[in-house]
Amino acid sequence: MKRNCKDCEIEMKEAFINPGLGMFVLQHDFKSKLFDKLSKINTLVCPNCGYIEFKAEKPELFK
Ligand SMILES: [Zn+2]
């Protein structure tokens, strides 16, 4: 997943949010069963200005 910073136009780097307990996930519905319809969140950071961008790995879950 390559993407350039919208401000600096240089390549953003993959980053990992550390929530302390494991990876950050996006859930389809608050009432969904645990581990049902979860998408990993891909995170990119601009090494120049620090701009951070999130993208759901499985956007189709949210249709
Ligand atoms: Zn930037």
Side-chain angles (χ1 to χ4, degrees):
M1 184 171 77
K2 289 203 173 191
R3 194 159 170 87
N4 287 348
C5 175
K6 65 181 177 65
D7 295 325
C8 310
E9 296 183 354
I10 61 170
E11 189 180 330
M12 296 178 78
K13 304 289 182 184
E14 188 177 9
F16 300 90
I17 290 187
N18 183 347
L21 295 172
M23 72 178 172
F24 227 34
V25 294
L26 199 61
Q27 191 168 17
H28 173 261
D29 180 334
F30 189 68
K31 293 177 211 151
S32 297
K33 288 178 192 152
L34 201 57
F35 305 121
D36 188 31
K37 293 190 176 179
L38 295 180
S39 174
K40 184 185 167 206
I41 298 174
N42 292 320
T43 311
L44 292 171
V45 60
C46 173
N48 187 50
C49 71
Y51 175 74
I52 293 171
E53 191 171 275
F54 294 132
K55 267 198 171 183
E57 191 175 71
K58 298 179 191 169
E60 67 275 10
L61 289 181
F62 302 90
K63 283 183 181 166

